[in-house]
Amino acid sequence: MDFARPHRLEDGVATRSKIRLLTETLPPTDGGDDHEMPSTSAGADAASGEGYAGGDLDGMLLSAANRAAKDLFLGPPLTRPRLDPSAKNEDDPSSCVQEERRLRLADSRLYPERCLAPSHIIAPHSLVVIFESFDSLSFAYATPGQVFSNRNGHFAHNDFIGKPYGCKIRSRSSGGLGYVYLLRPTPELWSRSLPHRTQIIHELDAAVIVCQLNLRPNCVVCESGTGSGSMSHSILRTIAPHGKLHTFEFNRGRVEAARKEFEKNGVSHLVDVHWRDVCGKKDGMFDDAGDAAVAAAASTAGDDTSPDQTRIEKGGFGLGHAKAHAIFLDLPEPWLAVPHAAHTIVPGGRIGSYSPCIEQSQKLVAAIGKYGFHSARTVEVRMREHFVDEIEMEPPPTAR
């Protein structure tokens, strides 16, 4: 998906302004010697016009320009309170070094714009969401030689490759009467077209969850209950480009399916899939006979994704103390994971859960209050459509 592509640095308003701290050589004085303007990066006072020969106008202008550059990029000057008599004074070498490093940031060249270059053309093996009708979406990975078939006809993948996203493709059967639209994948479209291994969280609830968890780029997030991966893609788009999602699933078959999907969708570098029951109810046990067979096959074949893991990991998240900025639970008994979440989440982090029953919410609220969380909220989201129509109303009666 496009949000997982590397960002491209381009010149923006800041870089084109070419604002930076200036160090100039002033015109020679009567003695014939050049005066070099004191460098602000060396700790000189560029905020005043003093120190220049005769209050030179050029020096005063450069001083004002440097003062404006520092205010723009660095904000107000840092002041250290002298509450402790033993505190370091302003002449301390370490303070000068810190100030010098700080002043180096007042350079517009350090602030290019980050742009996400979207893919406009369908390339081989790209994920394509296929719009069949208003209530029917499917997907395909554009593979040369393959054919996508539905009730509208047969569509060759070779016809997909090289075409722009959003184009209309006609079938090679039924006289070309059938057609589909090829859409660029997004987490919302993927949620409507993905193969369901479990019940999924749809886009409306996913948007509220991302907002309430206060997710932002480059966060570390834990998700327990990978399921079909619908919520995972919404989280990944928010924490890209350098964030990390640790998603946990107790069913081995769903773990392997999720890993393959993340790899095909181009987001595997943002997510780690763990075969683990964070509640600790299945410590050291296989989920079922099917999981045992899959684990044995993976061990025999030397599976690269999990070469040594043949049994489910113990409870908890296994990441250490204060490692995640937010934790999301999509579990039948989320209150069992709260003690582990309290250990894993950073101070001030947020925890959220998705539960279909109010009884689950009541038990979860009681558990999070016990383990130090506060400001609990229970939110129910409903989609309601408003229809707008134009009607003609009778004029009000007037007095005779």
Side-chain angles (χ1 to χ4, degrees), residues 129-130 137-139 188-196:
V129 175
I130 302 174
L137 276 74
S138 187
F139 74 95
E188 290 78 16
L189 293 177
W190 177 246
S191 296
R192 295 182 57 186
S193 60
L194 58 76
H196 286 211

Side-chain angles (χ1 to χ4, degrees), residues 282-321:
K282 296 181 178 295
D283 288 358
M285 299 173 57
F286 294 115
D287 180 53
D288 51 31
D291 278 354
V294 171
S299 178
T300 304
D303 186 3
D304 294 335
T305 59
S306 183
D308 300 322
Q309 184 182 356
T310 57
R311 301 176 72 84
I312 192 169
E313 297 180 15
K314 296 181 179 180
F317 295 92
L319 301 180
H321 177 65

Side-chain angles (χ1 to χ4, degrees), residues 129-139 148 150-152 180-181 183 189 192-193:
V129 175
I130 302 174
F131 181 91
E132 302 173 289
S133 64
F134 176 75
D135 58 350
S136 178
L137 276 74
S138 187
F139 74 95
F148 173 79
N150 64 2
R151 61 185 180 183
N152 298 327
V180 295
Y181 290 95
L183 306 180
L189 293 177
R192 295 182 57 186
S193 60

